[in-house]
Amino acid sequence: MKSMFHLKMRLSNLLSNRAFGSKTFFVSTPIFYVNGAPHIGHMQSCLYADAFARIQHLQGKNVVFSTGTDEHGLKVQQAASAMKKNPEEYCMHMSSKFEELFRNSDISFTHFIRTTDKEHKGIVQNFWRKLDENGHIKKGRYEGWYSVTDEAYVPLSQVKEIKEGSSIKMVSNETGSEVEKMSEENYLFNLPRFQKDLLYWLSKDVIKPVMFLEDIKRWIHEDLHDLSISRPRSRLSWGIPVPDDDSQVIYVWLDALVNYLTVGHCAENNLVWPVDCHIIGKDILKFHAIYWPAFLIAAGYEPPRKIFCHSHWTVNYEKMSKSKGNVIDPVSLMDKYSCDGFRYFLLRASVPTSDTNYSEVKIHRMVNAELADTLGNLLSRSCATALNPNQVFPRFYHHSLDNLKDFKVEELIKNASDLPEKVQEYFLDGYFYKGIDCIMASLRDANAFMQSCEPWILVKKNDEQSKETLSTALHIILEVLRISGILLQPVIPNLSNKLLTKLQVPNENRSWLNITCFPSYHRISNPMENHSLGKDSTPLFERRKKS
C-alpha cells in the first residue's frame, strides 16, 4: 500500500486552514520529562523558543507558544514509586516546578500543556484511531533491546557491549543508556513505508541548523524499521490506554509528540496547524524529525514547517545528568545574576551547532562586562545630569559632525544603522550569540566614541559650537542605545524595557517593524529630539560580586 503522502503527493494536499503568510506563528519547546527537577538544559530550549516567540510578536504576529511537561511512561512510574507517591500526586508536584520556573524566567508561553490533561488524552486516542483507520497500525511481537532511560527500543546496529569493572552490559551507541533484551506483543507502526515521504519533506529546508540534516538522512536510509507504539499494561500501567484494548498503553513518545496537536486544537476556535517551529535539543532529533512527521503524514496532517535543533550544555565537558550530580540549577543562577542576566548568558554563550561548557567564571565576567559596563554604564554616563542637565534626548546638529569627524562618527552611525537587518537575520536563524555580538560591538564603539569626544570637557565650555557638538554627540550615543534596546527585547526583555523607558521610547515605537535608525541624521522628523528622559536613575544592571 502506498503512503497517503507518497513521494510527490504534495504538501499542499495536507495544508490546514491556516495558510502560509498567516498572522499566527506557532512555536513550541519539547515537553519536559518530570522524572527530575528542571535544569539549564531545559531552560536552553525554553529561551530559544521564547526569543523566537518575542521576535515574531515584535514583527506583528499573533503567537502561539507552547511548553509543558511529559508525565507518562515507565521512568515517571518508577520515580513516583521511589518517592512513595502515587503518579498523579508526583506529576502535579514536578510539573508545578517547571511551570513556576518558566514563569519566573519570563518565558512568554501561551499554553502550558500536561500529558495528564483530560483534553490531551482524548486527542491522543483520536490520533491513534486515525492511524489505525488509515491502515498504519498492526499488532505483532516485538523483540529487541530496550532502554528504560530513553523509553525506546534500540536496533541491534545501535547497540554495543561495554565492560564496567568485572561486569559487561549492553548500551545504546547514541545515548549511552543501558539496554536490556525484551520480547513482547505490541502494536506496530509501519515506519519504513514513509521513507520517501520523509526525504521529500526534508528537501523543503525544514531542519536548522543544516548540519543536523545529514544525521537524519543517514537514520532514514539505514535505520527505519517497524516502530513499537504501545506497551503491555502489565509492564507499564501509567499511560493512556490504547483505544478498544485496555491491555495495552500508548507508547510514551507517541503520546508526548501529540501534545503539539493538542495545543493546536486548543489555541483558537479553529485548528492552528502546522507548527511553524519546533525547538528541540539534539538528543531528541530522531523523534521529532523522523517519527513525528511520519505519524502526522500517516494521520493526514501537515508536518512541521521548521525544526530548530540545538546542542547541549556540558559541565567539565560532560553531559549533565542527575546520576553524575552535575546538574546546574537555574533558580540559583537567577537569584545571583537576575532573570535577565541568566537569560543573556544562556543565549549569548551557547552555540546551536556545538556543545557549550558551563562555567561560573564565564557568566560572572560576561554579565559584568557587557550588561553592567558596556550597556549599563553607557546609559548612565550619557544620561547623567552633569552632561545632560536638561534631561532630554538632545537635538542633532548636522554641522556639528565636522567637529566629531576625527572620532569615527560616520562609521559609528553606519554600523549602528546596519544593526536591525544583521541582527534580525542572525536571530531568525537561531544564532543569537552572533546577533548579540553585533549589538555589543556597536555599543563598544559608542563607548569609545564617548571617550574620544570627551563630552565632560565640552559641557564646561559656554560657546554655542561646543553646546551643539555636545548635544549631537549625546544624541548619537542615545540613538545607538535606543536601537540596541529595541533589538535586545527578545533576549533581555526587562532590561530592554527599563532602557527604553528611560529614553521614553513609546511602546508603539518598540516593534521590529520599520525601525528607523538615526532619523535626524537622515533629515527625517524625529519626535525623540528634546523629549524628556525618564526619571529612574538607578543603574540598568548592578555589577555582580564574586561569590
Side-chain angles (χ1 to χ4, degrees), residues 338-453:
S338 83
C339 171
D340 275 31
F342 172 70
R343 290 174 60 103
Y344 183 81
F345 172 68
L346 255 64
L347 290 171
R348 173 73 163 119
S350 62
V351 178
T353 53
S354 61
D355 291 345
T356 306
N357 195 55
Y358 173 77
S359 162
E360 181 83 17
V361 172
K362 189 188 295 183
I363 182 172
H364 184 267
R365 287 177 178 170
M366 185 175 287
V367 297
N368 279 344
E370 299 189 353
L371 294 183
D373 296 346
T374 302
L375 178 62
N377 239 9
L378 184 64
L379 179 67
S380 296
R381 295 167 75 195
S382 53
C383 293
T385 53
L387 294 182
N388 192 342
N390 295 327
Q391 288 296 282
V392 295
F393 198 114
R395 282 192 60 190
F396 181 92
Y397 296 91
H398 278 84
H399 56 262
S400 294
L401 289 176
D402 285 339
N403 302 322
L404 298 167
K405 63 184 178 182
D406 291 337
F407 312 127
K408 299 182 179 180
V409 64
E410 296 279 359
E411 184 179 335
L412 174 61
I413 291 171
K414 181 186 183 306
N415 290 342
S417 298
D418 290 342
L419 275 180
E421 185 176 352
K422 289 167 67 175
V423 170
Q424 177 169 296
E425 182 177 351
Y426 283 134
F427 279 12
L428 287 175
D429 282 344
Y431 290 94
F432 290 97
Y433 75 101
K434 289 185 177 181
I436 295 169
D437 193 50
C438 291
I439 296 168
M440 284 297 146
S442 191
L443 289 167
R444 285 192 294 271
D445 288 346
N447 274 287
F449 171 72
M450 175 173 259
Q451 284 298 115
S452 299
C453 67

Side-chain angles (χ1 to χ4, degrees), residues 169-370:
K169 65 179 183 179
M170 305 299 288
V171 299
S172 163
N173 286 341
E174 289 183 25
T175 65
S177 302
E178 188 170 0
V179 297
E180 57 185 281
K181 201 68 178 285
M182 196 170 289
S183 173
E184 59 189 17
E185 191 173 65
N186 293 331
Y187 286 96
L188 306 176
F189 175 78
N190 190 343
L191 187 60
R193 181 181 294 170
F194 296 91
Q195 183 186 58
K196 292 179 180 178
D197 303 325
L198 289 168
L199 291 171
Y200 177 73
W201 170 69
L202 289 169
S203 72
K204 300 304 174 184
D205 194 31
V206 293
I207 305 298
K208 296 293 182 181
V210 73
M211 63 168 284
F212 292 109
L213 180 60
E214 290 310 308
D215 282 339
I216 303 167
K217 286 182 176 178
R218 175 173 52 80
W219 293 330
I220 289 173
H221 284 298
E222 298 177 359
D223 196 26
L224 287 194
H225 51 84
D226 284 352
L227 182 65
S228 170
I229 56 171
S230 73
R231 301 290 182 263
R233 181 172 287 280
S234 58
R235 182 163 70 86
L236 172 63
S237 60
W238 182 238
I240 298 175
V242 168
D244 306 316
D245 187 350
D246 282 345
S247 70
Q248 294 274 321
V249 171
I250 294 174
Y251 174 42
V252 66
W253 264 105
L254 175 56
D255 165 7
L257 288 164
V258 176
N259 93 85
Y260 307 121
L261 199 56
T262 302
V263 173
H265 278 285
C266 297
E268 294 178 4
N269 292 331
N270 297 317
L271 174 64
V272 175
W273 199 260
V275 172
D276 290 282
C277 188
H278 286 309
I279 310 296
I280 61 165
K282 65 181 182 180
D283 56 324
I284 54 174
L285 181 59
K286 180 182 289 186
F287 298 97
H288 283 79
I290 298 180
Y291 300 169
W292 181 225
F295 291 153
L296 286 169
I297 292 163
Y301 290 96
E302 184 184 351
R305 290 179 179 157
K306 224 57 140 189
I307 293 177
F308 178 82
C309 183
H310 63 80
S311 297
H312 294 147
W313 280 91
T314 60
V315 178
N316 295 324
Y317 301 97
E318 291 185 329
K319 187 178 178 182
M320 281 185 292
S321 75
K322 192 168 60 171
S323 61
K324 291 178 181 176
N326 64 352
V327 172
I328 303 299
D329 174 25
V331 176
S332 63
L333 288 181
M334 284 195 287
D335 287 344
K336 193 179 295 186
Y337 297 105
S338 83
C339 171
D340 275 31
F342 172 70
R343 290 174 60 103
Y344 183 81
F345 172 68
L346 255 64
L347 290 171
R348 173 73 163 119
S350 62
V351 178
T353 53
S354 61
D355 291 345
T356 306
N357 195 55
Y358 173 77
S359 162
E360 181 83 17
V361 172
K362 189 188 295 183
I363 182 172
H364 184 267
R365 287 177 178 170
M366 185 175 287
V367 297
N368 279 344
E370 299 189 353

